[in-house]
Amino acid sequence: MNYGEIKDCDVANGVGVRISLFVSGCTNRCPGCFQPQTWDFNYGQEFTRKTEDKIIEMMRPGYINGLTVLGGEPFEPGNQQVLMPFLRRVKASYPDKTIWAFTGFVLEDLMKEGAHCHTDVTEEMLGMLDVLIDGRFEQELKNIQLRFRGSENQRLIDMNKTREAGKIVLWDE
């Protein structure tokens, strides 16, 4: 897996001050995407153990609220295989910090066996998340007033409450 950027002290992609990892590769290719360069799976640099170590260290300060994974598309099958062991490390190192992820897929498809985005690690990866922002960016539904999303079809899902309730519960600050 490659990544395009790691943002330190990001305040735009989740609550509080976060470290954001922009992975490369996306088959959704939403028209109007704010990062079309990340559609290319070969864009950026290789995500290595050294990259993981760097992010783990960047998360150390108490003022860092957590990690956000976006892209590109974190839930592309190949990206999931690389991200899952890393997310395990993040949770083990910082169990009280949150993990957010953005995806162009919808949660229902992520959970559906046989779907392009469903792999053997998808459910475990979803289990690591506190918030999932799902749904393709839709240019005709673009709304710059929305918090943490670009178009009105996208949902902010509280994954902890969703797991508890057994149904989708939207995130509410």
Side-chain angles (χ1 to χ4, degrees), residues 18-169:
R18 313 186 67 73
I19 306 301
S20 292
L21 170 65
F22 291 79
V23 303
S24 295
C26 183
T27 57
N28 287 315
R29 298 176 177 246
C30 303
C33 172
F34 81 108
Q35 296 236 99
Q37 69 275 18
T38 65
W39 296 350
D40 181 352
F41 286 86
N42 296 311
Y43 175 74
Q45 302 172 56
E46 183 181 356
F47 188 81
T48 64
R49 181 67 176 207
K50 187 175 178 181
T51 312
E52 287 186 18
D53 294 344
K54 175 182 173 181
I55 294 170
I56 294 286
E57 185 58 32
M58 290 170 78
M59 290 184 68
R60 183 176 307 283
Y63 60 84
I64 299 293
N65 294 80
L67 173 72
T68 298
V69 183
L70 59 171
E73 177 55 67
F75 283 94
E76 287 293 346
N79 290 348
Q80 289 183 52
Q81 299 300 322
V82 175
L83 286 171
M84 192 59 248
F86 170 60
L87 294 180
R88 285 186 199 118
R89 278 189 73 196
V90 170
K91 273 292 186 195
S93 299
Y94 304 108
D96 296 329
K97 296 191 183 209
T98 61
I99 300 176
W100 287 42
F102 286 74
T103 181
F105 301 112
V106 293
L107 180 58
E108 292 84 351
D109 286 343
L110 289 168
M111 299 295 292
K112 188 187 310 176
E113 288 193 33
H116 163 76
C117 54
H118 183 86
T119 74
D120 60 328
V121 298
T122 303
E123 290 179 32
E124 183 182 3
M125 191 164 150
L126 290 168
M128 297 283 178
L129 301 181
D130 296 283
V131 175
L132 177 71
I133 296 88
D134 80 340
R136 294 172 54 91
F137 172 75
E138 300 286 346
Q139 184 72 43
E140 61 278 0
L141 298 174
K142 181 178 180 178
N143 181 341
I144 61 171
Q145 300 298 316
L146 298 172
R147 192 156 186 218
F148 306 129
R149 59 196 196 279
S151 60
E152 293 179 6
N153 61 298
Q154 296 171 312
R155 303 178 294 186
L156 282 95
I157 301 172
D158 185 320
M159 292 301 291
N160 297 315
K161 289 182 180 176
T162 293
R163 286 187 287 274
E164 242 176 60
K167 64 179 184 175
I168 293 176
V169 177

